[in-house]
Amino acid sequence: MMASEIRRVVAGASIGNAVEWYDFAIYGFLATRIADKFFPPGNDTAALLNTFAVFAAAFFVRPVGGFVFGPMGDRIGRQRVLALVILLMSGATVAIGFLPTYASIGLFAPLLLLLLRCLQGFSAGGEYGGGAVYLAEFARTESRGLTVTFIAWSGVVGFLLGSLTVTLLGGVLGDAAMDGYGWRIPFLIAGPLGLVGLYIRMRLEDTPQFSELSRADRVASSPLRTAFTTSWRPILQVIGLFMVFNVGYYVVFVFVQSHLIKTRGFSASQASVSMTLATTVALVLILPLAALSDRVGRRPLLIAGSAAFIVLAYPLFSLLNSGSLAGAITAHCVLAAIESVYVATAVSAGVELFATTVRYSGFSIGYNICVAAFGGTTPYIVTWLTAATANPAAPAWYLTAAAILSLLTVRTVRETARRPLPQTVDQPAGVKPVG
């Protein structure tokens, strides 16, 4: 396959994914303002917990999206499903920007917010896994880790875009305007961004591996049943692998910003600067580390990332809570660097565990079950832990526990770097597909 074609495919999948994750991320970046707008006044901690509960609810719907869009992608193709999910996500995000607040319609405000967040979660259930599978099936074997990891990298781009949007709007409009109407603007921007992403994805073709299966009439008639009966072990491995991936991701790129404001007393602009710098660290590191995984294998980097969290999570949270802005930003950036080691490797390692016939279904189900249990719940759990223990370093305990479980899972996973992807479940990994 020509390098120019791979670049076009990477750009199409990555741009669409960045738009999706911008949509999903701005809710987290605006959590403190949403708490004030959509929940009863009087208890800031309770309002923030309710905001993160709605954040988590969207993740509980994600497995439903995985169960719907995964088998659909294995039956009708990857490209069509990826076009559909970006349309759903962007539409739900724009609608949040138009919602009336608690002061206007009372309890209907958080209920409508919950409904739209669940629609976001439903569409996201088909996005991340589908994008990763799409890139894996176009990639060259020797550089598949780098190619697939563009999907994770573009998700961080979406987070950075959301952070910069919120930060710039806050600086230009000021707190009063942001509280009045400015918080709506990032959600409304999702409209044109989504249309751009949809246009790009509509112009993409389906993957060579899926097209080969389709021409040979070997597409699974019931991908969901096939995935559970033939690939239950890889599904469980994906859940274990992505525990620290998700806990780390939502601690570093969602929770810490609100933590710095509500618990440590930093201003919203200072917390946004810290988030922007931490996200930039991830953007710089993820792709070179992914290329490294193509040379040394997936397992060494997965072990290094999870072990680093086990050893350093508590010391870094102690520095984060030291009261020094420089110390907080430094700790935040180091946490982002450790997360980057894991992010750079886990997605390619996960999709490589499945055959083409069930790859979209198997990976999406495992990934989204893990996200529901250990991703969207993380901001709520660590916020509760901090309040219940009166220990601002308590989130480190949760992060360490997730890292231990993921490290144990890594030990059960075979090395998949530089091996051709199997087409069917009866073809051993590493055997070159026929055709």
Side-chain angles (χ1 to χ4, degrees), residues 265-291:
F266 292 110
S267 68
S269 60
Q270 289 172 326
S272 293
V273 167
S274 182
M275 179 63 70
T276 300
L277 290 174
T279 309
T280 302
V281 167
L283 284 175
V284 170
L285 292 179
I286 285 174
L287 293 180
L289 289 167

Side-chain angles (χ1 to χ4, degrees), residues 380-396:
Y380 184 94
I381 289 172
V382 294
T383 299
W384 177 84
L385 275 175
T386 302
T389 63
N391 182 351

Side-chain angles (χ1 to χ4, degrees), residues 105-246:
I105 60 173
L107 289 175
F108 286 106
L111 289 176
L112 289 172
L113 178 65
L114 175 62
L115 177 65
L116 291 173
R117 282 290 297 166
C118 287
L119 181 57
Q120 282 186 318
F122 178 71
S123 61
E127 166 59 34
Y128 201 87
V133 166
Y134 190 81
L135 292 181
E137 293 177 359
F138 266 107
R140 295 190 178 102
T141 301
E142 65 273 14
S143 58
R144 190 167 55 234
L146 175 60
T147 303
V148 171
T149 303
F150 270 98
I151 208 71
W153 184 80
S154 67
V156 181
V157 170
F159 267 80
L160 179 61
L161 180 60
S163 177
L164 288 174
T165 301
V166 172
T167 301
L168 290 174
L169 282 173
V172 171
L173 298 178
D175 281 343
M178 281 297 290
D179 283 337
Y181 67 89
W183 66 270
R184 298 181 183 273
I185 295 175
F187 292 100
L188 300 178
I189 290 174
L193 288 178
L195 290 176
V196 170
L198 178 63
Y199 172 77
I200 292 170
R201 287 191 167 176
M202 290 295 291
R203 293 171 61 86
L204 296 176
E205 298 175 355
D206 224 316
T207 71
Q209 287 207 329
F210 181 83
S211 297
E212 180 185 327
L213 280 180
S214 183
R215 286 194 301 269
D217 198 24
R218 300 187 71 187
V219 174
S221 59
S222 181
L224 192 61
R225 184 176 67 245
T226 304
F228 277 114
T229 56
T230 65
S231 303
W232 59 268
R233 179 181 171 88
I235 290 173
L236 292 177
Q237 288 174 323
V238 166
I239 293 172
L241 283 176
F242 279 84
M243 284 182 185
V244 73
F245 180 107
N246 283 298

Side-chain angles (χ1 to χ4, degrees), residues 389-407:
T389 63
N391 182 351
W397 303 339
Y398 191 58
L399 182 53
T400 301
I404 291 171
L405 292 172
S406 287
L407 181 58

Side-chain angles (χ1 to χ4, degrees), residues 332-420:
H332 198 177
C333 289
V334 175
L335 286 167
I338 297 172
E339 177 68 8
S340 299
V341 176
Y342 207 88
V343 167
T345 319
V347 181
S348 52
V351 297
E352 288 167 343
L353 295 175
F354 298 93
T356 303
T357 48
V358 296
R359 189 169 293 123
Y360 202 149
S361 299
F363 182 73
S364 292
I365 290 166
Y367 174 76
N368 285 301
I369 288 174
C370 186
V371 171
F374 301 100
T377 59
T378 290
Y380 184 94
I381 289 172
V382 294
T383 299
W384 177 84
L385 275 175
T386 302
T389 63
N391 182 351
W397 303 339
Y398 191 58
L399 182 53
T400 301
I404 291 171
L405 292 172
S406 287
L407 181 58
L408 293 173
T409 304
V410 172
R411 294 178 61 84
T412 73
V413 174
R414 69 178 185 271
E415 182 58 67
T416 53
R418 301 180 302 279
R419 297 183 179 183

